[in-house]
C-alpha cells in the first residue's frame, strides 16, 4: 500500500511538471493558471518537477542507480538560488520558455527562491540514493529534507488560502506558484513516506526521527500564524494611521473652507455694507477675525482697492511694509484675485511667500461689492506652519505620529524627515487635492503610539507555537517510545510464547527420549550410575540392579554396595582403575569384570565412567557412567576363540595334506586351492582364481562325460565323486579322483563347494601294469606278488595316515560344517583303502 502511494505521488509530480511545461511551450493559460489569475509555475521549475518525479518513480521500481537524474534538478535549483544570493543574471531563466505572464515576479522566468532551495534539497537527497554510502545518514537527511519541503509546500498553499502574500512570497519579490506549492507538498510527502518505510522495516518500529516531521509542520503552522497575526497588527496600525491621515485631510479641507467662508461672511460681506471711511468698524471686524484665526496661522487681515494695492491692513504694527503692496505682482495672488472676482466668492490662493515672516502660506481673497460694483477685496494671510500646527494641536497628531505635510512638492510643516519615512515599515502617506492644491500627508507612528497600540500577539503566538511544537515533539517522541516499547513487548511476548511452545516441545521430546533411553537401556542391559564425590552419594538406575536380579529399593546408594559384588579376582584391577580416575590421572576408565547376581551366578559387566566435573586441583567431583552386561559377548568371544583355534587346525590339515583341495563358488569357479594343488598343478591361486577347472586342466584324455557330470552336480547343488584326467601347467598328466561336497549356511543356501582330489595316477599306472603283467603271471608270479606288496605298502601307509588324522580331528570341538568336511575326507580315504585291499585280494 505504501509503495503504491509513493508511486502515485511520483506520478502526480511528473504530471504537474509535464502539464506546466506543455502550458509554457504551447502558451495554454489554463495549464499555467488552473486556479485563476495567480502566479504560475516557471518553465525551468516545471522541468525540475518532471526530473524529481522521474527519479522518485525509478527508485520505487527498483532502478535506484538511475536516481542521479535528480542531480540535474538540483543544479537548476542551485543556479537559481545563486542568482538571488549574488544578484547576478545567468541568462538561463527564460532559456526554455519566455515568461509572457510576468505575474508577481521581479525577474522574468526565474523561479521563487524558496522553490529553488527546496528543489536543491530534494535533488541532492534523491541523487544520493544512487550512491551505496551512508544509508542511515541518507535516511535521516531524507526525513529532514522531506519535512522541510512538505512544510514549505503546505505553507505556500495555506498562504494562498488565507490570502497572505508574505507567506507564499517568502520574503522575496517573486511569489511561489500554487502549483509549485502542491508539487512541494507531493515531493515532501514522497520523501517522508520513503524514509519512514525503510526506517520502520529496519528498526522494527517507528523511527527515532518520528517527532521531527510533526515538529517542523507545527512550527511552519506557527510561523504562518505569526505572519498572519503580524500582518493583522500591521494592518491595525496601518488602519489607525490611515484614519488619522483621512482625519487630517478632512480637517484641513474643512478648516480651509471654514476660513474662506469666514473671510467672505465676516469681512467682505460686512465691508460691502460699510463705507471705506468707517475704519473703526473695520477694525472691530478684523480684530474679531484675527483673534479667531490667529492660532491657525493668520498673520494679517486687509483690504485691496480696485487697483489691487493694499490700502488697509490689521494689525498695522509689523505690517507697514505691506501697505501699497501690488497684489498683481505675484502670480499666485493675481490668479486668486481674478478667480474670486469671477466667482464672486472667497478663493484661496496657491502657496505664496508671506512677507511678514518669510514663510510659505496662502491668502484668502473675497470680493467687496458696493452697489453691485467691485470695491476691492478683503484678504487674510495665513502661514502653513502655523495653520497645520493648529490642526496638530486640535487633532493631537504629534502625540501619536511624526508627520510631514507637502504641498505641491514643497514640505511646509511637520517633524518627519523623508529618509525616516522611507525606512520605516509603519509609514503611510495620503495625497489629496484640497482647494485646488495637491497636499501629501505622511505619517509615521511614534514610539508612544506603537507602545499603546502594540498587543504583542504575534510574538505571543510565535513563542506559544514554539512551546507547543516542543510539547508536540515530546508527545510524539513519548508516543513513539511507547509504541516501540509495546512492539518490543509484543515481540518479547511472541518470543516467550514461542520459547514456551519450544520448551513444551522439547520437554515432550525429552520425555519421549527419556522413555526411549529407558527402554533402550532395559533392552540392551545397560544401567546408569552417577557418583557425587563431595556428598559420597551414588545414584544407581533401577535397570542396573534389575539387570543383576536385585531389588532397586533395597540397595544402598553407596560405592561399597556395588563393590562387594565384584569377583575377588577382578576387584584389585577394578580398584586400581577407580583410584586412577579419582586421582585425576585418568578422566575415563572402562574395565570389565565379573559381579555376583542374586542367584549367585557370575556375570561379566563393562564399567564405563567419565569425570564430568573437576575441582581446581584436577580431582573429579562428579562421575557419570554406565554398566553393561557383556556376559553373552564374553561367552561368544570365548567360543569364537575356540572355534578359530579348531579352524586353524583344520586349515592347517587342509593346507598341509598331500591331497588336492579346491574350494568353488556356487557357480563352479575357483575360490581357493591348497599348496598340494599348486605344487602338483603348477598353478598359483592368483592365476586361476575365478576360473573353472575344465578351462585350464582339461586335456586330450579328459573324459567330457565326467566333466558334464561334475557341472550337472554343481548346478543342482549335489555332491559327486568321479575320476578325471587333468594336466598340469607344464603338460604333466594326472589321474585324479574328485569328491565334491556342497557347503550350506543356516538358510540351506549353498555358500561354496569343497572338492578333495586324490592323485590316483599311481593306481591307474599300477592297474595298467597289472594288466600287462597278467599275461606274464605264470612266469613272474613271485615278482608280481612282491611288486603288489610293495605297492600296497606305499599306498596304504599314506592312506592310513590320512584316516588316522581325520579321526583325531573328529575328536576335537568344531562346527557342523567343519565336521562334515573332515568326515568326507575320512570316508574318501577309507574308500580308497578298500579299493587298494580289493586290488591286493585280486
Amino acid at each position: 500500500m505504501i509503495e503504491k502511494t509513493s508511486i502515485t505521488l511520483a506520478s502526480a509530480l511528473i504530471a504537474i511538471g509535464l502539464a506546466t511545461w506543455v502550458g509554457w511551450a504551447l502558451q495554454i493559460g489554463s495549464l499555467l493558471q488552473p486556479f485563476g489569475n495567480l502566479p504560475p509555475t516557471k518553465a525551468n521549475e516545471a522541468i525540475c518537477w518532471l526530473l524529481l518525479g522521474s527519479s522518485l518513480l525509478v527508485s520505487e521500481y527498483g532502478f535506484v542507480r538511475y536516481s542521479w537524474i535528480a542531480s540535474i534538478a538540483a543544479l537548476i535549483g542551485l543556479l537559481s538560488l545563486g542568482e538571488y544570493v549574488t544578484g547576478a543574471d545567468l541568462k538561463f531563466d527564460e532559456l526554455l520558455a519566455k515568461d509572457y505572464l510576468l505575474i508577481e515576479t521581479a525577474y522574468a522566468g526565474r523561479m521563487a527562491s524558496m522553490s529553488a532551495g527546496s528543489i536543491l534539497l530534494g535533488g541532492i537527497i534523491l541523487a544520493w540514493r544512487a550512491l551505496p554510502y551512508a544509508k542511515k545518514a541518507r535516511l535521516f537527511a531524507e526525513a529532514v529534507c522531506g519535512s522541510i519541503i512538505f512544510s514549505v509546500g503546505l505553507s505556500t498553499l495555506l498562504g494562498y488560502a488565507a490570502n497572505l502574500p508574505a507567506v507564499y512570497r517568502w520574503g522575496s519579490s517573486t511569489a511561489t506558484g500554487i502549483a509549485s506549492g502542491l508539487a512541494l507538498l507531493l515531493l515532501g510527502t514522497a520523501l517522508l513516506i520513503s524514509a519512514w518505510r525503510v526506517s520502520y522495516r529496519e528498526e522494527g518500529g517507528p523511527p527515532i526521527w518520528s517527532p521531527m516531521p510533526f515538529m517542523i509542520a507545527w512550527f511552519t503552522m506557527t510561523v504562518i500564524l505569526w505572519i498572519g497575526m503580524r500582518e493583522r497588527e500591521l494592518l491595525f496600525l496601518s488602519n489607525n494611521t490611515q484614519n488619522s491621515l483621512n482625519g487630517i485631510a478632512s480637517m484641513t479641507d474643512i478648516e480651509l473652507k471654514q476660513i474662506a467662508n469666514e473671510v467672505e461672511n465676516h469681512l467682505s460681506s460686512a465691508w460691502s455694507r460699510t463705507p471705506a471711511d468707517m475704519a473703526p468698524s473695520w477694525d472691530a471686524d478684523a480684530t474679531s477675525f484675527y483673534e479667531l484665526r490667529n492660532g491657525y496661522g493668520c498673520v494679517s487681515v486687509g483690504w485691496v482697492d480696485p487697483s489691487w494695492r493694499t490700502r488697509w491692513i490689521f494689525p498695522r504694527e509689523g505690517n507697514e511694509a505691506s501697505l501699497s503692496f501690488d497684489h498683481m505682482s505675484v502670480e499666485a495672488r493675481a490668479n486668486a484675485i481674478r478667480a474670486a472676482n469671477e466667482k464672486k466668492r472667497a478663493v484661496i490662493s496657491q502657496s505664496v511667500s508671506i512677507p511678514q515672516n518669510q514663510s510659505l502660506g496662502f491668502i484668502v481673497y473675497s470680493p467687496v461689492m458696493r452697489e453691485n460694483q467691485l470695491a476691492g477685496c478683503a484678504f487674510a494671510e495665513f502661514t502653513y506652519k502655523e495653520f497645520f500646527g493648529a490642526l496638530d494641536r486640535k487633532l493631537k497628531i504629534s502625540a501619536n505620529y511624526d508627520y510631514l505635510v507637502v504641498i505641491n512638492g514643497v514640505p511646509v510643516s511637520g517633524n518627519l524627515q523623508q529618509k525616516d519615512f522611507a525606512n520605516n515599515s509603519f509609514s503611510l502617506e495620503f495625497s489629496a487635492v484640497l482647494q485646488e492644491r495637491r497636499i501629501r500627508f505622511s505619517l509615521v507612528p511614534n514610539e508612544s503610539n506603537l507602545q499603546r497600540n502594540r498587543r504583542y500577539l504575534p510574538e505571543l503566538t510565535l513563542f506559544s507555537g514554539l512551546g507547543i511544537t516542543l510539547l508536540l515533539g515530546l508527545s510524539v517522541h513519548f508516543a513513539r517510545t511507547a509504541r516501540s516499547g509495546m512492539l518490543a513487548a509484543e515481540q518479547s511476548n511472541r518470543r516467550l510464547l514461542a520459547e514456551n511452545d519450544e520448551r513444551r516441545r522439547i520437554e515432550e521430546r525429552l520425555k519421549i527420549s527419556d522413555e526411549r533411553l529407558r527402554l533402550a537401556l532395559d533392552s540392551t542391559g545397560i544401567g546408569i550410575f552417577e557418583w557425587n564425590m563431595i556428598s559420597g552419594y551414588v545414584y544407581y538406575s533401577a535397570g542396573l540392579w534389575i539387570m543383576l536380579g536385585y531389588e532397586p529399593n533395597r540397595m544402598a546408594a553407596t560405592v561399597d554396595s556395588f563393590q562387594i559384588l565384584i569377583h575377588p579376582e577382578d576387584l584389585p584391577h577394578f580398584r586400581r582403575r577407580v583410584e586412577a580416575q579419582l586421582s585425576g590421572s585418568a578422566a575415563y576408565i572402562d574395565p570389565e569384570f565379573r559381579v555376583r547376581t542374586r542367584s549367585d551366578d557370575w556375570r561379566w559387566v563393562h564399567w564405563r565412567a567419565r569425570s564430568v566435573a573437576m575441582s581446581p586441583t584436577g580431582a573429579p567431583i562428579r562421575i557419570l557412567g554406565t554398566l553393561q552386561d557383556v556376559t553373552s559377548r564374553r561367552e561368544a568371544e570365548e567360543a569364537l576363540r575356540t572355534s578359530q583355534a579348531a579352524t586353524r587346525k583344520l586349515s592347517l590339515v587342509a593346507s598341509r595334506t598331500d591331497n588336492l583341495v579346491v574350494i568353488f563358488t556356487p557357480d563352479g569357479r575357483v575360490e581357493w586351492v591348497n599348496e598340494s594343488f599348486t605344487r602338483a598343478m603348477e598353478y598359483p591361486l592368483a592365476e586361476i582364481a575365478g576360473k573353472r577347472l575344465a578351462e585350464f586342466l582339461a586335456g586330450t584324455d579328459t573324459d567330457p562325460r565326467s566333466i558334464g557330470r561334475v557341472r550337472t552336480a554343481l548346478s543342482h547343488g549335489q555332491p559327486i565323486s568321479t575320476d578325471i584326467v587333468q594336466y598340469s601347467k607344464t603338460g604333466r598328466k594326472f589321474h585324479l579322483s574328485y569328491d565334491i561336497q556342497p557347503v550350506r549356511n543356516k538358510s540351506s543356501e549353498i555358500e561354496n563347494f569343497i572338492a578333495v582330489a586324490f592323485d590316483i595316477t599311481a593306481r591307474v599306472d599300477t592297474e595298467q601294469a597289472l594288466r600287462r603283467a597278467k599275461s606274464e603271471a605264470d612266469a613272474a608270479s613271485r615278482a608280481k606278488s612282491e611288486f603288489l606288496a610293495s605297492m600296497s605298502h606305499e599306498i596304504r601307509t599314506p592312506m592310513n595316515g590320512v584316516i588316522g588324522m581325520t579321526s583325531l580331528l573328529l575328536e576335537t570341538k568344531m562346527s557342523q560344517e567343519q565336521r562334515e568336511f573332515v568326515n568326507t575326507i575320512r570316508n574318501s580315504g577309507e574308500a580308497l583303502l578298500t579299493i587298494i585291499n580289493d586290488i591286493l585280494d585280486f
Side-chain angles (χ1 to χ4, degrees):
M1 182 62 183
I2 297 180
E3 288 80 0
K4 291 182 179 179
T5 303
S6 299
I7 292 173
T8 303
L9 293 173
S11 301
L13 195 60
I14 293 174
I16 291 175
L18 188 60
T20 305
W21 168 244
V22 171
W24 282 111
L26 304 179
Q27 294 188 358
I28 302 175
S30 58
L31 294 178
L32 298 177
Q33 295 174 297
F35 304 102
N37 192 25
L38 296 175
T41 298
K42 306 300 182 182
N44 50 2
E45 194 175 357
I47 295 298
C48 292
W49 300 136
L50 187 61
L51 292 171
L52 294 174
S54 301
S55 178
L56 280 171
L57 198 60
V58 297
S59 297
E60 291 300 327
Y61 279 106
F63 302 101
V64 184
R65 61 182 180 274
Y66 296 115
S67 298
W68 61 267
I69 59 177
S71 60
I72 302 175
L75 178 61
I76 296 175
L78 178 63
L79 293 175
S80 298
L81 201 61
E83 288 181 324
Y84 281 105
V85 174
T86 61
D89 185 5
L90 301 179
K91 305 296 182 182
F92 82 100
D93 294 328
E94 292 185 297
L95 186 63
L96 301 175
K98 184 174 179 59
D99 187 359
Y100 66 92
L101 294 176
L102 297 176
I103 299 177
E104 293 192 42
T105 181
Y107 308 98
R110 184 180 301 180
M111 70 176 77
S113 58
M114 190 56 70
S115 295
S118 300
I119 289 172
L120 176 61
L121 289 178
I124 292 174
I125 290 300
L126 289 176
W128 193 352
R129 291 184 176 183
L131 303 176
Y133 308 113
K135 182 178 179 182
K136 290 186 177 180
R138 179 184 63 76
L139 287 176
F140 181 76
E142 190 169 327
V144 173
C145 294
S147 301
I148 294 174
I149 295 172
F150 174 85
S151 300
V152 171
L154 180 62
S155 303
T156 301
L157 296 179
L158 291 177
Y160 278 104
N163 194 21
L164 293 175
V167 174
Y168 57 78
R169 286 182 178 175
W170 295 99
S172 67
S173 57
T174 301
T176 303
I178 191 170
S180 299
L182 181 59
L184 289 170
L185 189 67
L186 295 174
L187 177 61
T189 304
L191 292 175
L192 279 175
I193 288 177
S194 177
W196 179 279
R197 179 183 62 201
V198 178
S199 299
Y200 194 96
R201 183 170 57 249
E202 292 183 352
E203 298 181 18
I208 194 172
W209 48 262
S210 299
M212 181 182 57
F214 297 95
M215 294 180 67
I216 293 177
W218 187 259
F219 177 74
T220 303
M221 298 294 294
T222 300
V223 171
I224 292 175
L225 185 59
W226 172 71
I227 292 174
M229 296 295 293
R230 186 170 177 270
E231 290 291 324
R232 181 180 178 279
E233 186 166 4
L234 291 176
L235 182 62
F236 173 75
L237 293 173
S238 178
N239 289 337
N240 286 343
T241 304
Q242 187 64 51
N243 292 334
S244 298
L245 282 172
N246 294 337
I248 294 172
S250 178
M251 185 58 67
T252 300
D253 188 50
I254 291 173
E255 290 297 333
L256 289 175
K257 290 180 179 179
Q258 184 67 27
I259 290 172
N261 291 334
E262 289 175 357
V263 170
E264 183 176 354
N265 295 328
H266 291 80
L267 295 179
S268 63
S269 296
W271 291 356
S272 295
R273 296 190 299 271
T274 305
D277 55 354
M278 295 184 66
S281 176
W282 286 15
D283 287 343
D285 294 334
T287 300
S288 175
F289 180 84
Y290 181 79
E291 291 176 353
L292 178 65
R293 291 298 177 181
N294 184 37
Y296 284 86
C298 182
V299 295
S300 65
V301 178
W303 176 64
V304 180
D305 62 11
S307 62
W308 312 117
R309 292 182 179 274
T310 303
R311 295 303 181 188
W312 182 86
I313 193 169
F314 179 86
R316 294 180 177 81
E317 295 180 1
N319 292 315
E320 293 82 357
S322 297
L323 292 174
S324 300
F325 175 74
D326 185 2
H327 287 256
M328 289 296 178
S329 61
V330 179
E331 183 179 1
R333 292 174 179 263
N335 292 334
I337 291 173
R338 285 193 287 270
N341 291 333
E342 291 176 359
K343 297 177 180 179
K344 305 300 181 183
R345 59 181 179 81
V347 174
I348 301 175
S349 70
Q350 295 294 326
S351 299
V352 296
S353 178
I354 305 300
Q356 289 86 336
N357 51 16
Q358 297 298 316
S359 61
L360 286 177
F362 61 90
I363 301 174
V364 181
Y365 290 97
S366 180
V368 178
M369 306 295 293
R370 292 194 182 95
E371 297 178 357
N372 293 326
Q373 296 292 324
L374 182 63
C377 286
F379 70 91
E381 295 180 321
F382 290 84
T383 60
Y384 283 131
K385 184 176 181 180
E386 293 299 329
F387 174 78
F388 286 106
L391 293 181
D392 180 12
R393 291 188 296 272
K394 185 175 182 180
L395 299 176
K396 298 181 180 179
I397 299 174
S398 299
N400 298 299
Y401 302 97
D402 294 333
Y403 70 96
L404 178 65
V405 180
V406 178
I407 299 178
N408 295 330
V410 179
V412 296
S413 181
N415 58 350
L416 180 64
Q417 300 295 323
Q418 187 66 32
K419 62 178 182 178
D420 296 334
F421 174 83
N423 295 330
N424 198 304
S425 59
F426 298 102
S427 61
L428 199 65
E429 64 180 13
F430 177 76
S431 297
V433 178
L434 303 177
Q435 298 299 318
E436 299 181 357
R437 75 199 65 235
R438 177 169 294 279
I439 303 178
R440 186 176 78 244
F441 302 96
S442 300
L443 293 182
V444 175
N446 55 28
E447 288 298 326
S448 60
N449 185 11
L450 292 176
Q451 293 296 329
R452 284 195 303 271
N453 291 285
R454 285 287 297 274
R455 297 295 181 266
Y456 297 100
L457 288 178
E459 290 79 5
L460 180 62
T461 301
L462 181 61
F463 287 111
S464 299
L466 292 176
I468 294 174
T469 300
L470 293 176
L471 291 176
L472 179 62
L474 289 174
S475 300
V476 175
H477 172 69
F478 291 144
R480 186 200 69 83
T481 304
R483 175 64 177 171
S484 299
M486 183 178 67
L487 291 176
E490 291 177 355
Q491 293 177 356
S492 178
N493 290 334
R494 286 194 294 270
R495 285 195 298 269
L496 288 176
L497 290 175
E499 289 176 0
N500 290 334
D501 293 340
E502 183 67 20
R503 186 178 293 108
R504 283 194 294 270
R505 288 193 295 270
I506 292 174
E507 289 175 353
E508 289 295 330
R509 289 198 297 269
L510 287 176
K511 185 177 180 180
I512 296 173
S513 298
D514 290 341
E515 181 68 17
R516 290 174 178 170
L517 178 60
R518 184 182 64 78
L519 294 175
L521 293 176
D522 292 344
S523 62
T524 56
I526 297 177
I528 299 175
F529 67 90
E530 179 182 359
W531 187 0
N532 190 318
M533 310 303 299
I534 298 177
S535 63
Y537 173 81
V538 181
Y539 165 77
Y540 297 101
S541 66
L544 185 146
W545 296 118
I546 293 174
M547 176 178 63
L548 300 177
Y550 297 100
E551 297 180 10
N553 55 357
R554 299 178 63 87
M555 304 304 293
T558 62
V559 178
D560 294 337
S561 64
F562 181 80
Q563 286 189 6
I564 60 176
L565 303 177
I566 300 176
H567 195 284
E569 295 179 0
D570 300 332
L571 184 59
H573 174 68
F574 171 77
R575 286 179 174 174
R576 285 194 300 272
R577 300 299 303 275
V578 171
E579 288 174 359
Q581 186 175 24
L582 295 179
S583 64
S585 59
Y588 174 77
I589 61 174
D590 57 345
E592 291 186 1
F593 48 87
R594 289 165 289 179
V595 295
R596 186 176 61 251
T597 66
R598 187 177 181 181
S599 60
D600 287 334
D601 295 331
W602 292 103
R603 306 287 295 178
W604 281 95
V605 295
H606 190 181
W607 173 284
R608 298 181 181 90
R610 183 179 296 278
S611 302
V612 295
M614 311 292 288
S615 67
T617 60
I621 58 176
R622 185 183 177 197
I623 297 175
L624 290 176
T626 61
L627 191 74
Q628 183 179 7
D629 186 353
V630 295
T631 303
S632 299
R633 177 174 62 80
R634 293 290 294 232
E635 292 177 351
E637 289 175 354
E638 184 65 27
L640 179 60
R641 283 193 295 270
T642 302
S643 176
Q644 287 175 345
T647 302
R648 283 195 298 272
K649 293 178 181 179
L650 183 60
S651 299
L652 180 62
V653 171
S655 61
R656 297 300 181 183
T657 184
D658 292 335
N659 296 325
L660 282 62
V661 181
V662 183
I663 299 178
F664 299 100
T665 60
D667 59 352
R669 297 181 182 276
V670 176
E671 192 175 62
W672 180 84
V673 295
N674 64 350
E675 294 179 2
S676 297
F677 183 93
T678 302
R679 186 170 56 252
M681 295 295 120
E682 302 174 350
Y683 285 103
L685 176 62
E687 187 176 348
I688 63 175
K691 297 181 179 180
R692 291 182 173 88
L693 292 179
E695 294 178 359
F696 59 91
L697 297 180
T700 57
D701 293 337
T702 302
D703 187 0
R705 291 176 296 176
S706 299
I707 299 299
R709 287 196 300 272
V710 171
R711 289 177 178 174
T712 301
L714 292 180
S715 63
H716 290 85
Q718 297 175 350
I720 187 174
S721 297
T722 185
D723 296 339
I724 301 176
V725 176
Q726 293 181 338
Y727 294 85
S728 68
K729 189 174 184 180
T730 59
R732 183 180 176 186
K733 182 179 178 181
F734 286 90
H735 292 273
L736 300 176
S737 177
Y738 274 95
D739 184 14
I740 302 175
Q741 297 291 332
V743 180
R744 301 179 183 274
N745 58 19
K746 294 181 179 180
S747 301
S748 298
E749 296 177 350
I750 297 176
E751 291 185 346
N752 46 44
F753 290 92
I754 298 178
V756 178
F758 303 96
D759 187 1
I760 61 174
T761 304
R763 190 190 75 182
V764 172
D765 291 341
T766 301
E767 291 177 352
Q768 292 176 355
L770 288 174
R771 283 192 296 269
R772 286 193 302 268
K774 186 176 181 180
S775 60
E776 301 174 359
D778 295 338
S781 58
R782 187 180 294 274
K784 170 186 156 184
S785 299
E786 292 178 358
F787 175 76
L788 290 175
S790 176
M791 289 297 296
S792 63
H793 177 74
E794 291 179 359
I795 295 175
R796 285 177 177 175
T797 300
M799 292 308 301
N800 289 330
V802 172
I803 293 172
M805 180 63 69
T806 55
S807 299
L808 291 175
L809 289 176
L810 290 174
E811 293 178 359
T812 63
K813 188 177 181 180
M814 62 179 65
S815 63
Q816 183 64 30
E817 290 83 1
Q818 293 170 342
R819 186 177 294 278
E820 290 177 355
F821 175 74
V822 175
N823 193 36
T824 301
I825 297 175
R826 179 181 177 181
N827 293 334
S828 299
E830 290 177 350
L832 183 58
L833 188 58
T834 301
I835 294 171
I836 294 173
N837 291 329
D838 291 339
I839 293 172
L840 291 176
D841 293 336
F842 177 79

